Amino acid sequence: MSHASPWWTPDVHADRRPFLLGRNRIQSALRRFFAARDFIEVDTATLQVSPGNEAHLHAFETQALNHDGSSHPLYLHTSPEFACKKLLAAGEERIACFAHVYRNRERGPLHHPEFTMLEWYRAGESYEALMGDCAEILALAAETTGTKQFTFQGQSCDPFATPERLGVADAFERFAGIDLLASIAPNGETDRDGLAAAMAAAGLRVASDDTWADLFSRVLVEKVEPHLGFGRATILDEYPTAEAALARPASRDRRVAERFELYACGVELANAFGELTDAAEQRRRFEMEMAEKARVYGETYPLDEDFLAALTIMPEASGIALGFDRLVMLATGAARIEQVLWAPVAETRA
């Protein structure tokens, strides 16, 4: 059985090099983009007390050793978000960050254990401002590489067209024939059996141990995401509050949150929030996520008490995390994420 040549062999590198040079050009262009808008570029620590508190995110753990031989766990962050929000609490108003981030159990054409996240935050500005940023950044990436359209797995998207803004509930109705909001109470509580019945009626698989979140995710992945970002980018907006993560509820309807995701060519590129600054509510969400993580995977991650304390003085803000490598893939026409990484993580086999 033959193995593919390593990435560092001259012929493989020669094939990859145009993508890598495209990456550098896009990164330089984005740095100019943010500087022109008075953003400060910040650099955050990779080692954190908590890697993040989402049930299905898996981190890399290490041990920090003290002089006396005692130790305590530290984690490679899955996002620079906690550190960036501490900087907002400290008084920064517009910040941008290119961060190497780490996620375990993830490897494929669009996933890598170590990748680059571009995050930026706007204090005192609405999350609609981030939608404008996204449209400009898609066009900038295309201009920088001289491409007229993004492509991935035979699908294309015009990076210069105004993105479509589509509510999650509208997408469920359009692509799955399901009334999502009928399964959410005015206070945001979810009705698992109501959603299960709607899915069964639509011919979708339902298991007896599926939670409301499991069901929501299945419809999103199987029925909604395959339709997003074709022809032009899609901004999938107003996620249910139960799926808000670190976003605040929308003022017009507490059942949904100020959260959107950006898609192009069916690829999820970015995740944005009108940021939640209620520390007690954030703690409650984290604890719920960790209870679910314990139920499904038998493990939990600690809460970053420093982060929760910083939230109490953090200003109103909006923030977004964009998968920089994925943006480079679409703009350069790369087929796999390894093609746009200068030095991919070694693949080891047991």
Side-chain angles (χ1 to χ4, degrees), residues 85 88-89 91-94 121-127 130 246-249 251 254 258 273-279 310-319:
K85 288 180 176 177
L88 294 178
E92 295 296 339
E93 295 184 344
R94 288 188 175 185
Y121 293 81
R122 292 174 171 270
E125 295 183 75
S126 76
Y127 83 135
L130 302 174
L246 289 85
R248 62 186 173 221
S251 55
R254 305 286 293 182
E258 291 188 356
F273 303 143
E275 301 294 354
L276 180 68
T277 53
D278 179 336
L311 273 191
T312 64
I313 63 166
M314 185 181 127
E316 294 292 307
S318 58

Side-chain angles (χ1 to χ4, degrees), residues 56-61 78 102-107 113 301:
H56 303 294
L57 272 187
H58 301 280
F60 290 88
E61 179 180 351
T78 59
Y102 306 84
R103 297 189 178 183
N104 220 336
R105 301 196 188 195
E106 295 195 12
R107 192 147 197 159
Y301 298 138

Side-chain angles (χ1 to χ4, degrees), residues 67-322:
H67 284 303
D68 63 4
S70 63
S71 66
H72 60 277
L74 286 176
Y75 299 86
L76 297 179
H77 65 177
T78 59
S79 155
E81 180 171 7
F82 290 0
C84 284
K85 288 180 176 177
K86 290 172 188 175
L87 289 169
L88 294 178
E92 295 296 339
E93 295 184 344
R94 288 188 175 185
I95 57 176
C97 178
F98 282 97
H100 276 234
V101 299
Y102 306 84
R103 297 189 178 183
N104 220 336
R105 301 196 188 195
E106 295 195 12
R107 192 147 197 159
L110 289 167
H111 295 86
H112 203 69
E114 178 179 353
F115 61 100
T116 300
M117 191 90 89
L118 167 59
E119 293 200 7
W120 68 98
Y121 293 81
R122 292 174 171 270
E125 295 183 75
S126 76
Y127 83 135
E128 278 87 0
L130 302 174
M131 298 181 188
D133 292 338
C134 285
E136 289 189 78
I137 285 170
L138 294 177
L140 178 62
E143 284 170 13
T144 302
T145 55
T147 187
K148 297 287 189 288
Q149 63 176 15
F150 287 171
T151 57
F152 184 71
Q153 293 186 346
Q155 304 290 345
S156 63
C157 167
D158 180 354
F160 300 99
T162 302
E164 176 190 18
R165 186 173 173 181
L166 176 65
V168 171
D170 293 335
F172 269 58
E173 186 66 54
R174 182 189 301 182
F175 301 122
I178 290 172
D179 183 350
L180 178 65
L181 295 181
S183 71
I184 307 174
N187 66 356
E189 288 188 12
T190 55
D191 173 9
R192 182 264 176 208
D193 292 341
L195 182 55
M199 287 176 62
L204 287 166
R205 177 173 58 86
V206 175
S208 59
D209 61 346
D210 279 336
T211 63
W212 184 92
D214 293 332
L215 298 171
F216 171 83
S217 179
R218 185 169 305 135
V219 178
L220 190 68
V221 170
E222 293 182 8
K223 293 294 183 181
V224 175
E225 287 186 338
H227 298 281
L228 303 180
F230 300 119
R232 60 176 171 154
T234 302
I235 288 171
L236 188 66
D237 188 21
E238 294 192 336
Y239 276 66
T241 306
E243 296 291 319
L246 289 85
R248 62 186 173 221
S251 55
R252 65 164 197 86
D253 187 344
R254 305 286 293 182
R255 294 177 296 175
V256 298
E258 291 188 356
R259 175 186 177 188
F260 75 80
E261 293 198 336
L262 174 69
Y263 290 83
C265 301
V267 175
E268 179 201 329
L269 281 179
N271 187 20
F273 303 143
E275 301 294 354
L276 180 68
T277 53
D278 179 336
E281 169 62 12
Q282 188 64 79
R283 180 186 296 276
R284 186 190 70 80
R285 291 187 192 174
F286 281 167
E287 288 173 346
M288 284 181 61
E289 287 287 315
M290 290 302 90
E292 177 67 3
K293 188 173 191 65
R295 183 186 75 82
V296 177
Y297 303 106
E299 64 175 349
T300 62
Y301 298 138
L303 305 191
D304 183 341
E305 293 294 342
D306 219 28
F307 168 66
L308 292 169
L311 273 191
T312 64
I313 63 166
M314 185 181 127
E316 294 292 307
S318 58
I320 183 166
L322 181 143

